[in-house]
Amino acid sequence: MLIHPLLKHEPNHKKTMNTYTINNLRELEAESIHIIREVAAEFEKPVMLYSIGKDSSVMVRLAEKAFYPGTVPFPLMHIDSKWKFREMIEFRNNYAKEKNWDLIVHYNKKGFEAGIGPFTHGSKVHTDIMKTEALLEGLSQHGFDAAFGGARRDEEKSRAKERIFSFRDRYHQWDPKNQRPELWDIYNARVHKGESIRVFPLSNWTELDIWQYIRLERIPIVPLYFAKERPVVEYNGAWVLVDDDRMPKELAHQAVMKMVRFRTLGCYPLTGAIESAADTIEKIVEEMMTTTKSERTTRVIDFDQEGSMEQKKKEGYF
Amino acid sequence: MDINQFLDQDQQKDLLRLLTAGSVDDGKSTLIGRLLFDSKKVYEDHLVALERDSKRIGHAGENIDYALLLDGLKAEREQGITIDVAYRYFSTNKRKFIIADTPGHEQYTRNMVTGASTANLAIILVDARKGIITQTKRHTFLVSLLGIRHIVLAVNKMDLVDYDENIFKSICDDYRRFVTRLDIPDVQFIPLSAMQGDNVVDLSTRMHWYHGKSLLNFLEEVHVGSDRNFDDLRFPVQYVLRPSLNFRGFSGKVSSGIIRKGDEVVVLPSLKTSRIISVLNAGEETEYAFPPQSITIQLEDEIDISRGDMIVHPANRPRTERQFEAMLVWMNEKPMDPYASFYIKHTTNTTRARIDTIRYKLDVNTLEKSAADKFELNEIGRVVMTTNKPLYFDPYRKNHGTGSFVLIDTITNDTIAVGMIIDKLSESDLSSRIHIPDSKHKIDNGLSLISQKEIETKYRQQGSTIWITGLHGSGKNVLAYNLERRLFDLGAIVVLLDGSTIRSGLSRELDYSPADRAEHLRRVAHICKILNDQGIITICSFISPKESIRQQIAEIIGKDRFKLVYMDASMEYCRKNKPELYQLADEQKLRFMPGIDEPFDVPQNAIMNLKPNETEQNCNDIIDLLAREKLFPLD
């Protein structure tokens, strides 16, 4: 097994220079809180997009901290593609109830009634209609002028240049050539009616930072992140969970029990599991540091075409 | 080491934000690619893509082109250049790093400035074969403009000059000569080869003559904590938190300084004072907070505070003014319209601003200054600006948080320029602002239909100004009004100008700060000039506390017709005369009071020093003077 070079060394006990030092996690936390408050102060109708994933969970925790002892002054919105893992929905419902969140669940009604799904229509059509279109519809219906997303710059190459305040025109489109300069911690929040800003308060966090923070703050996450024996089938070159009976029977019949977990969560037919025994955050991090594949390899949509994330972004997907 | 130990340690690492500047040709992308690669931030699937892309569009022959790891957007990849700022993340045993990767091409000053705005340190790459070139100087200047205090000059491609020590040394000498002109406290030189890996992560065995650290080792150890300003408390209120009747909090980021429970503070602009009774850092009670923490505080007293206000220590306040000078970088394709007004966003404040004067444009390659009437994309220069409401600011050099701002187009909402506020207006700067060389010429031309001779014959006088200076309550107005009456009765054509008349209309938007006062007096001086040009005698009653300003007024009006008279009253007399004003000033409720918190320069060049309460004698003396100098009557 590969040993990550960072794990080879003994701890380095660096003496702190004064009491006014801040560690990387707390610095990122402070930066994110600053961004979240700025949005609450400057926009008329912000919303926080909640995907139920680990990054979203961190983002919501930061929002709660930003306004403590008050409550978060904007709603959360989950765009439900109707093909999310069942455990995700269950987690969402319980957690939102426990925390008393103002949670909006939006789905594309027309698409749902037409029976759009990844098995029958393919990943591209499904994603376009049930995710991208649903998101734009949800944002427009409520007239939100700012939407927080949990995307990080280290996730994917095309995100490395994303602004923290990412401008979208009245068609929700992202134009890489028409993004505003962003300096210091001064964010330009001015938009005309119909235009909006996508805000990414976790821009500077890495995958490891997210796990660290979840560990430190004991943030609950969907159990699918932890390894367990689960029924999976091989589909489009990935291990896909048999999550409900909408999976074609001939496919579901090939199910095998494997010790697996998920690095990212999305629509179950489009999210590949990895074989793993990591059932604690510590083990996940250990595994993450010795793995040789990036987080997004488990997302099926990325393989559609080169630069596909970039294309998705232009169309309005995060 | 087990994973728990690792995580505990990892969590304690600090964060270094760095900027890399240089072009693709200097091997910048290769260097970053290697830092990421060697710190194992490159995943296998990225690597597979990298090998594929290297063969297809790479510039490294059969080798892996690390640069391809970095180019994000498709369009850019095809052009073979990076055209925006990209952020990269990696960590080592000792630190976490965020790299702002910016391209080196001239037209992208904008991106470099963006990347530099959040960086603690800059790596500037040069090609050992080329040495210090114009681009290197430009990068260094921009880095210093944005106030980065640590530079690493990475002399790359040492493998292509046979790892020659002399070449490295001569490049370092060249650079030192240039960099001493700029204000950068820490400059390091490292010879390396990004392609071969020499001195990037590990020390090279091919440059035994080099005794410094490897680049990565240096980055891990450089101390940047003291770059933060812990001295001057500046807490711009970002958000007012009022979840219930018994909790009223003020949230924001500590921009600089330390804020402690129990501290006495003053709120700008209301100048109300109170005490801090609690500090919440990210939701948790704490004794004190420091930059860049995002906190919420509660005050002992119920004071009306809103977003945009600033909380500071009473004895250490920022400048509160509507006018300041700044270095401006134009960030938009659309050139500056010098007559337009903009939104200015400064800390948590947004107001309108306009550009009064462009002092000069700076050539980033040669650092030469030249005159300009507007800025275009990527141009940099020094301007004087006026805002609609006062801002609470410090010079950028001392305080990045309160010294920086962005300008936003009022129609498109684009961020069109960014600025860094310069130290206090100096006297010499004020003078160049007030003295406009061609204005005399213009006005002279405007008067050409009536000759000086005709005016003198008709009015029996020569235009001149009796300028009465003195403290508040020294009796200036008593003298001025009596003198006006006397001269009028004698048949003179006189106009009286005093502070309250001018400030109630013409200078209505100006306050008593030094910059506003200078502007106010500049206007008065120009009125005097116009009236004097037309043969009218003006009597002016203004405190005009500064010698420098009085000299500028004399220059505008014309030295031969400016008659400075000083009301030489004791402070005691003035206090008795205007007790309410002085009391307010003593209680610090009134700022910029000459003789109290603002200096009053006793004039050394007044033609008369007059005592108050001798009004009749004083009028006689002045009337005698006008006759003696043949100003009035003129026979």
Side-chain angles (χ1 to χ4, degrees):
Chain A
M1 192 173 85
L2 270 163
I3 301 283
H4 190 277
L6 286 179
L7 291 175
K8 285 182 195 160
H9 298 269
E10 281 306 305
N12 150 270
H13 295 286
K14 198 164 64 177
K15 240 182 126 70
T16 45
M17 298 302 286
N18 57 45
T19 49
Y20 307 137
T21 53
I22 188 165
N23 68 46
N24 70 86
L25 222 47
R26 294 301 173 200
E27 185 170 339
L28 292 172
E29 177 188 64
E31 181 182 79
S32 302
I33 289 176
H34 175 77
I35 293 163
I36 292 168
R37 285 174 176 162
E38 195 66 6
V39 171
E42 291 247 16
F43 288 91
E44 275 176 36
K45 210 173 171 194
V47 66
M48 184 167 272
L49 295 172
Y50 173 63
S51 75
I52 324 179
K54 64 186 195 311
D55 305 75
S56 263
S57 302
V58 167
M59 182 166 65
V60 174
R61 171 59 56 91
L62 290 165
E64 287 170 340
K65 283 192 172 205
F67 303 104
Y68 177 85
T71 51
V72 178
F74 41 75
L76 309 184
M77 182 162 76
H78 177 228
I79 300 302
D80 192 345
S81 69
K82 294 289 182 186
W83 286 86
K84 302 292 179 193
F85 290 93
R86 281 180 302 160
E87 273 187 80
M88 288 172 73
I89 303 300
E90 196 180 319
F91 177 88
R92 177 196 76 192
N93 293 344
N94 292 339
Y95 201 41
K97 202 168 157 195
E98 182 195 321
K99 290 274 194 169
N100 201 17
W101 284 341
D102 176 6
L103 175 74
I104 300 167
V105 176
H106 185 89
Y107 67 96
N108 185 338
K109 215 165 167 224
K110 273 202 322 227
F112 180 62
E113 279 161 8
I116 304 287
F119 291 122
T120 45
H121 296 76
S123 70
K124 188 175 178 338
V125 171
H126 169 72
T127 306
D128 284 352
I129 295 176
M130 297 308 287
K131 288 177 82 173
T132 309
E133 214 174 89
L135 170 65
L136 304 189
E137 194 182 77
L139 292 173
S140 301
Q141 265 180 22
H142 295 272
F144 293 122
D145 55 357
F148 290 101
R152 293 177 280 109
R153 283 176 180 148
D154 88 323
E155 271 177 73
E156 209 262 344
K157 273 204 281 188
S158 79
R159 283 193 172 154
K161 298 178 185 198
E162 183 63 280
R163 303 292 193 278
I164 290 173
F165 273 42
S166 177
F167 176 77
R168 305 297 158 109
D169 64 19
R170 56 188 72 246
Y171 309 105
H172 299 283
Q173 293 200 337
W174 175 81
D175 175 2
K177 293 205 166 57
N178 188 21
Q179 292 299 315
R180 296 168 176 176
E182 203 164 75
L183 284 87
W184 302 290
D185 54 5
I186 309 180
Y187 303 103
N188 177 354
R190 302 195 78 92
V191 289
H192 291 300
K193 200 154 177 57
E195 296 169 347
S196 62
I197 304 273
R198 300 280 172 88
V199 185
F200 303 111
L202 303 181
S203 286
N204 284 326
W205 295 59
T206 63
E207 192 180 5
L208 179 59
D209 297 328
I210 295 288
W211 283 117
Q212 276 278 23
Y213 199 71
I214 288 170
R215 173 176 177 262
L216 194 67
E217 298 279 325
R218 302 176 194 283
I219 297 172
I221 50 170
V222 183
L224 291 164
Y225 283 112
F226 299 106
K228 203 179 123 181
E229 287 256 315
R230 294 183 170 99
V232 290
V233 294
E234 207 176 336
Y235 178 63
N236 281 344
W239 288 113
V240 167
L241 185 74
V242 183
D243 198 45
D244 60 31
D245 54 15
R246 289 181 292 176
M247 178 180 275
K249 293 226 160 40
E250 61 279 15
L251 201 59
H253 282 169
Q254 299 164 26
V256 284
M257 290 302 281
K258 274 190 178 297
M259 192 71 174
V260 292
R261 63 179 196 89
F262 294 87
R263 286 184 75 183
T264 59
L265 297 181
C267 299
Y268 83 83
L270 299 179
T271 311
I274 54 166
E275 289 187 64
S276 164
D279 53 4
T280 63
I281 289 172
E282 289 74 15
K283 285 182 193 164
I284 289 174
V285 172
E286 193 164 15
E287 187 182 270
M288 193 183 96
M289 295 183 70
T290 48
T291 187
T292 52
K293 287 198 169 59
S294 79
E295 204 178 353
R296 299 205 71 89
T297 48
T298 57
R299 287 205 184 164
V300 178
I301 58 163
D302 280 10
F303 299 125
D304 285 355
Q305 62 186 106
E306 195 186 350
S308 70
M309 273 310 291
E310 195 183 320
Q311 192 59 37
K312 290 263 167 301
K313 250 167 70 174
K314 281 187 182 167
E315 290 161 6
Y317 178 72
F318 264 90
Chain B
M1 174 167 43
D2 92 343
I3 189 69
N4 277 300
Q5 280 176 311
F6 165 75
L7 286 169
D8 291 343
Q9 180 205 330
D10 181 75
Q11 188 187 309
Q12 294 310 322
K13 290 171 190 168
D14 68 350
L15 190 61
L16 182 78
R17 296 176 196 240
L18 60 107
L19 166 82
T20 52
S23 70
V24 176
D25 306 335
D26 298 328
K28 177 174 59 86
S29 298
T30 309
L31 177 67
I32 300 170
R34 187 169 278 280
L35 284 173
L36 301 186
F37 185 78
D38 286 352
S39 68
K40 210 175 162 294
K41 193 58 202 179
V42 181
Y43 290 112
E44 201 175 65
D45 52 310
H46 288 164
L47 207 60
V48 169
L50 182 63
E51 277 167 11
R52 182 191 67 204
D53 290 353
S54 294
K55 295 204 178 92
R56 194 162 61 86
I57 42 174
H59 301 276
E62 279 304 300
N63 294 324
I64 289 182
D65 188 350
Y66 291 103
L68 291 176
L69 273 177
L70 307 180
D71 293 342
L73 304 178
K74 213 169 165 182
E76 295 171 27
R77 212 181 309 168
E78 275 149 21
Q79 285 168 30
I81 47 161
T82 46
I83 55 167
D84 210 334
V85 188
Y87 295 88
R88 320 282 171 196
Y89 304 82
F90 74 101
S91 64
T92 69
N93 240 359
K94 294 180 178 158
R95 255 199 176 139
K96 293 207 174 184
F97 299 91
I98 300 179
I99 303 181
D101 178 18
T102 64
H105 301 264
E106 178 157 25
Q107 58 269 45
Y108 301 119
T109 291
R110 169 171 63 173
N111 298 322
M112 170 121 184
V113 167
T114 303
S117 73
T118 50
N120 316 102
L121 177 148
I123 300 176
I124 295 180
L125 263 109
V126 299
D127 182 333
R129 295 169 304 175
K130 296 181 194 152
I132 306 304
I133 56 175
T134 306
Q135 181 184 274
T136 320
K137 295 182 179 175
R138 179 168 72 237
H139 292 161
T140 308
F141 167 70
L142 292 174
V143 161
S144 79
L145 181 73
L146 270 290
I148 295 180
R149 301 165 64 85
H150 309 270
I151 284 187
V152 178
L153 189 80
V155 181
N156 192 23
K157 305 199 180 180
M158 287 302 291
D159 54 322
L160 301 182
V161 294
D162 296 326
Y163 301 102
D164 186 335
E165 182 180 6
N166 289 328
I167 289 178
F168 174 70
K169 278 194 166 155
S170 108
I171 290 173
C172 297
D173 289 344
D174 280 356
Y175 191 72
R176 268 191 210 101
R177 271 194 290 280
F178 169 74
V179 85
T180 45
R181 292 154 63 187
L182 305 165
D183 181 36
I184 299 163
D186 176 22
V187 182
Q188 298 292 325
F189 302 88
I190 302 178
L192 49 85
S193 164
M195 193 64 92
Q196 307 299 327
D198 298 287
N199 288 341
V200 178
V201 174
D202 299 311
L203 276 176
S204 170
T205 52
R206 290 176 280 213
M207 287 178 272
H208 289 294
W209 46 264
Y210 174 70
H211 303 294
K213 293 171 183 168
S214 74
L215 176 64
L216 187 64
N217 194 225
F218 175 75
L219 296 179
E220 283 177 326
E221 289 176 7
V222 60
H223 178 63
V224 296
S226 53
D227 295 355
R228 283 186 175 130
N229 178 336
F230 294 119
D231 300 326
D232 313 302
L233 171 64
R234 304 289 184 257
F235 181 63
V237 175
Q238 187 185 15
Y239 191 85
V240 178
L241 199 60
R242 184 144 218 194
S244 65
L245 284 176
N246 45 25
F247 187 94
R248 194 149 178 272
F250 305 101
S251 303
K253 170 176 169 178
V254 185
S255 196
S256 61
I258 315 290
I259 190 161
R260 259 173 222 285
K261 211 162 135 179
D263 275 1
E264 194 185 319
V265 290
V266 60
V267 183
L268 303 175
S270 71
L271 298 180
K272 298 238 166 70
T273 54
S274 187
R275 199 172 293 280
I276 292 170
I277 52 168
S278 84
V279 180
L280 285 171
N281 175 25
E284 280 169 47
E285 280 268 359
T286 174
E287 286 300 305
Y288 64 91
F290 54 90
Q293 291 177 334
S294 281
I295 61 166
T296 298
I297 58 157
Q298 282 183 283
L299 297 176
E300 196 170 67
D301 309 276
E302 204 159 291
I303 304 177
D304 191 28
I305 299 175
S306 45
R307 174 176 163 89
D309 289 1
M310 190 181 280
I311 293 172
V312 301
H313 286 142
N316 181 339
R317 303 182 185 189
R319 288 167 62 193
T320 303
E321 277 169 42
R322 294 180 44 249
Q323 197 170 49
F324 52 84
E325 294 205 23
M327 291 302 290
L328 208 64
V329 185
W330 201 255
M331 308 287 274
N332 202 272
E333 267 88 15
K334 204 174 87 181
M336 170 204 286
D337 171 1
Y339 303 104
S341 124
F342 312 98
Y343 292 116
I344 182 170
K345 187 165 182 188
H346 169 262
T347 67
T348 54
N349 246 316
T350 303
T351 181
R352 289 260 190 166
R354 65 176 188 323
I355 292 161
D356 297 336
T357 312
I358 298 178
R359 290 219 183 282
Y360 56 77
K361 184 169 90 179
L362 199 65
D363 182 322
V364 287
N365 293 323
T366 61
L367 301 190
E368 275 167 18
K369 298 168 185 171
S370 62
D373 52 12
K374 63 174 188 316
F375 294 152
E376 302 200 19
L377 178 61
N378 292 318
E379 288 188 337
I380 298 176
R382 181 164 173 168
V383 295
V384 183
M385 301 192 50
T386 302
T387 52
N388 270 23
K389 60 176 191 182
L391 300 179
Y392 324 115
F393 62 86
D394 297 282
Y396 185 77
R397 268 174 53 95
K398 274 184 71 188
N399 204 321
H400 288 196
T402 54
S404 55
F405 61 85
V406 305
L407 294 185
I408 298 167
D409 190 287
T410 52
I411 295 163
T412 64
N413 284 333
D414 274 340
T415 302
I416 48 174
V418 300
M420 289 138 282
I421 298 172
I422 296 171
D423 276 316
K424 201 159 186 134
L425 291 167
S426 69
E427 312 263 310
S428 60
D429 288 337
L430 266 179
S431 129
S432 68
R433 175 179 158 67
I434 287 179
H435 184 70
I436 302 164
D438 65 350
S439 62
K440 184 179 185 322
H441 181 70
K442 279 186 198 156
I443 294 169
D444 283 352
N445 284 347
L447 284 175
S448 60
L449 292 181
I450 303 167
S451 75
Q452 201 62 26
K453 187 82 204 147
E454 286 172 276
I455 290 171
E456 286 171 11
T457 311
K458 182 157 187 172
Y459 296 161
R460 292 171 55 239
Q461 67 185 36
Q462 282 197 39
S464 50
T465 297
I466 312 294
W467 189 281
I468 309 167
T469 177
L471 291 168
H472 263 302
S474 60
K476 296 184 299 297
N477 279 5
V478 175
L479 173 65
Y481 280 82
N482 279 289
L483 183 63
E484 184 195 22
R485 177 85 243 173
R486 293 274 305 272
L487 282 171
F488 182 81
D489 290 345
L490 290 168
I493 316 289
V494 285
V495 170
L496 188 149
L497 303 170
D498 69 0
S500 54
T501 322
I502 302 296
R503 282 193 179 276
S504 69
L506 187 63
S507 292
R508 193 168 53 192
E509 85 284 19
L510 300 176
D511 61 25
Y512 292 84
S513 63
D516 271 15
R517 195 189 287 276
E519 169 61 13
H520 165 61
L521 294 172
R522 182 189 71 85
R523 294 177 190 180
V524 174
H526 275 283
I527 300 170
C528 292
K529 181 186 155 43
I530 294 166
L531 293 172
N532 290 173
D533 283 346
Q534 301 185 49
I536 292 161
I537 294 172
T538 49
I539 301 169
C540 295
S541 167
F542 294 93
I543 303 174
S544 39
K546 287 238 158 133
E547 176 57 28
S548 58
I549 290 177
R550 293 192 296 258
Q551 270 175 20
Q552 289 149 17
I553 293 165
E555 255 168 51
I556 292 168
I557 294 173
K559 279 185 174 144
D560 48 339
R561 56 190 191 188
F562 175 75
K563 307 296 170 195
L564 184 67
V565 171
Y566 174 45
M567 282 309 287
D568 190 1
S570 66
M571 180 50 96
E572 204 187 345
Y573 177 90
C574 297
R575 279 179 179 278
K576 208 178 280 176
N577 214 359
K578 289 261 172 80
E580 328 75 36
L581 268 182
Y582 281 96
Q583 189 172 345
L584 282 175
D586 288 342
E587 290 166 1
Q588 296 188 355
K589 287 179 181 157
L590 192 69
R591 292 187 65 199
F592 306 121
M593 178 83 162
I596 304 294
D597 63 342
E598 188 70 21
F600 180 87
D601 304 337
V602 172
Q604 305 302 317
N605 54 347
I607 48 165
M608 279 180 207
N609 280 20
L610 303 175
K611 289 283 166 212
N613 289 333
E614 294 173 13
T615 307
E616 193 171 344
Q617 185 56 45
N618 289 343
C619 287
N620 290 342
D621 288 350
I622 294 172
I623 290 165
D624 283 352
L625 172 95
L626 292 173
R628 209 164 51 238
E629 296 206 353
K630 297 202 178 344
L631 298 170
F632 173 83
L634 184 73
D635 292 316

